[in-house]
Amino acid sequence: MTAAHGVRRLWLGAPAIALALGMVSPRAGAQQDDPRARYDAFYRPRAFPLDRVPDGALQAALTRMQAQWPQTRTGRSAPSLSSFVSSQSWSALGPAPITVSASQNYAGRINSIAVHPTNSQIIYIGAASGGVWKTTNGGTSWTPLTDNECGLAMGSVALDPVNPQIVYAGTGEENFNLGGYQGCGILVSTNGGTSWTPSGGSTFVASSHSATIAKMLVDRATAGSTSTTIVFAASVTGVYRSPDSGTTWTQVLSGTITDLITTPNAGELYAAVGSIYSSNSAGNGVFKSVDNGLTWSRLAGFPTSNVGRISLAVTAAAPVVLYATVENVSTSKLLGVWTSPDNGTTWNSVAATGASCNSQCWYDMYLAVDPTTPTTIYFGGYSIYKSTNSGATFSDIGSGGGTIHVDHHALAF
């Protein structure tokens, strides 16, 4: 995988490295893509005669194909796949970036980045509809890990902070776009992505279209186990908690969860309920748990009018300080940035001058805080924006050179 596949590295000052998601930016006069035409050509034939691809459609098709043609690759077990290995040389036909011109390549979205806690050369990414990829050389080359799994749409990838060989991949893209595909639950690996075990299919794949995961989160206090680690999955229908390293799941908070974060304080988590639909936005807000996700309470003082999608951020350098970005559900633009200096007890609006996600905050709106400097925050929206004064003002650090595409979905240090 090359840089043209949508990964760009930004040197933002030692020791932090921020990875931003994007593609080559279109220039004035260049041919533009047509999202609606792309949707009609690709999505509609797969959904026909329905308006939406039904839950479990891919899995049902694979099961039928394996039963009807057991000699296909998907119908064979790993030991028998050797017959597919050929001594002939192969030439890659794709997937590959779409070349618009000599200076422009279009690729796909990256929804999640997970950096190994002790070896920054090892990075995992979750592609919107391309599965989980891994690099062991800092991004020079990439290997796909989930091509033969139950689904390729990825919402979030998380590594166990104590044993990073344990990887959790939440399938299904929760960006509310027509081109976002549903998933098949959680994929769990205990060997760094070499093999995977599916989990939570009956929980996350349902008629309510809950098969989209916004965020995977691993509890640090119980991390390192393949059987007793507490893991969280934030989905379009709620926060789900697993007490047994992803084997079983229980819903602990309902609502459209658009973000989930934890702090160094024992048992403390924050969840963003952020439906992008005005008819269902009354319950939107920030919720807090102090008992490791068993119970939740809605925080007072947070804005209640026109609140849509919400993104949250916190840093270990100042775990009492929270940041939140909010979509205006009426206009789909940025309603504002809020900060809490006291664990969510009180909230203050900051100016956030210069930050923007145009009219698509429902789709791309992300927030990250520098791990060592809590007054430095990054906002991923239409471009990538940086603030060094706790969100009062932002500068555009993404599109100035014209090399990073707009519409950002994740940042990692």
Side-chain angles (χ1 to χ4, degrees):
M1 187 173 183
T2 66
H5 280 77
V7 181
R8 295 289 187 272
R9 181 184 299 171
L10 296 179
W11 295 94
L12 301 178
I17 296 176
L19 298 177
L21 318 179
M23 298 169 287
V24 175
S25 180
R27 303 181 189 278
Q31 179 182 356
Q32 301 296 305
D33 61 348
D34 186 337
R36 180 53 187 262
R38 186 169 65 243
Y39 165 75
D40 287 339
F42 186 80
Y43 194 92
R44 285 192 179 278
R46 288 161 173 79
F48 183 82
L50 307 174
D51 291 329
R52 182 183 178 91
V53 176
D55 296 314
L58 174 62
Q59 292 72 46
L62 286 173
T63 300
R64 182 175 177 181
M65 182 177 69
Q66 290 162 3
Q68 190 165 354
W69 297 290
Q71 294 306 305
T72 60
R73 182 182 180 93
T74 61
R76 297 188 178 195
S77 60
S80 67
L81 292 179
S82 58
S83 61
F84 286 92
V85 178
S86 173
S87 60
Q88 301 288 329
S89 60
W90 289 79
S91 299
L93 296 180
I98 301 171
T99 301
V100 179
S101 69
S103 61
Q104 297 179 57
N105 288 325
Y106 282 4
R109 295 182 302 283
I110 309 297
N111 283 328
S112 180
I113 306 171
V115 183
H116 193 287
T118 59
N119 183 354
S120 61
Q121 294 295 298
I122 300 176
I123 305 166
Y124 296 78
I125 59 172
S129 54
V132 178
W133 294 68
K134 178 181 182 180
T135 178
T136 58
N137 52 21
T140 300
S141 60
W142 295 83
T143 301
L145 303 180
T146 58
D147 281 2
N148 293 322
E149 301 308 318
C150 58
L152 287 175
M154 293 295 157
S156 178
V157 179
L159 306 183
D160 185 297
V162 175
N163 179 5
Q165 284 290 96
I166 304 174
V167 187
Y168 298 92
T171 67
E173 181 185 11
E174 197 203 64
N175 280 321
F176 312 103
N177 50 314
L178 289 175
Y181 285 88
Q182 299 173 51
C184 54
I186 312 296
L187 297 176
V188 183
S189 175
T190 59
N191 51 18
T194 301
S195 61
W196 300 84
T197 300
S199 168
S202 60
T203 300
F204 295 98
V205 181
S207 59
S208 58
H209 303 302
S210 60
T212 55
I213 307 295
K215 189 76 169 287
M216 297 298 302
L217 197 63
V218 182
D219 173 47
R220 179 173 290 275
T222 59
S225 171
T226 58
S227 59
T228 58
T229 296
I230 298 173
V231 186
F232 298 91
S235 88
V236 76
T237 57
V239 175
Y240 292 81
R241 184 180 191 269
S242 171
D244 47 18
S245 303
T247 302
T248 61
W249 298 88
T250 302
Q251 188 187 65
V252 290
L253 178 66
S254 61
T256 301
I257 312 300
T258 53
D259 210 348
L260 182 67
I261 61 172
T262 185
T263 75
N265 302 324
E268 187 174 76
L269 298 99
Y270 297 87
V273 177
S275 172
I276 68 168
Y277 306 105
S278 57
S279 60
N280 195 38
S281 63
N284 288 353
V286 178
F287 289 72
K288 180 178 181 179
S289 173
V290 294
D291 56 7
N292 223 355
L294 292 175
T295 60
W296 298 81
S297 60
R298 183 171 181 170
L299 296 179
F302 196 76
T304 57
S305 179
N306 289 324
V307 172
R309 180 171 183 163
I310 302 170
S311 293
L312 302 172
V314 68
T315 174
V320 299
V321 179
L322 305 176
Y323 290 94
T325 59
V326 184
E327 172 219 359
N328 186 327
V329 75
S330 297
T331 64
S332 297
K333 296 183 178 181
L334 182 65
L335 184 66
V337 178
W338 275 261
T339 181
S340 171
D342 49 15
N343 300 100
T345 301
T346 59
W347 292 88
N348 304 304
S349 175
V350 295
T353 303
S356 173
C357 41
N358 282 5
S359 59
Q360 53 189 41
C361 292
W362 57 271
Y363 171 63
D364 48 35
M365 185 181 68
Y366 200 86
L367 191 63
V369 187
D370 188 289
T372 59
T373 309
T375 56
T376 297
I377 62 178
Y378 298 88
F379 176 80
Y382 181 73
S383 184
I384 307 172
Y385 307 90
K386 178 180 179 180
S387 172
T388 58
N389 52 15
S390 301
T393 59
F394 284 85
S395 58
D396 186 342
I397 62 172
S399 61
T403 57
I404 299 177
H405 186 67
V406 297
D407 303 349
H408 297 275
H409 297 276
L411 295 170
F413 292 91

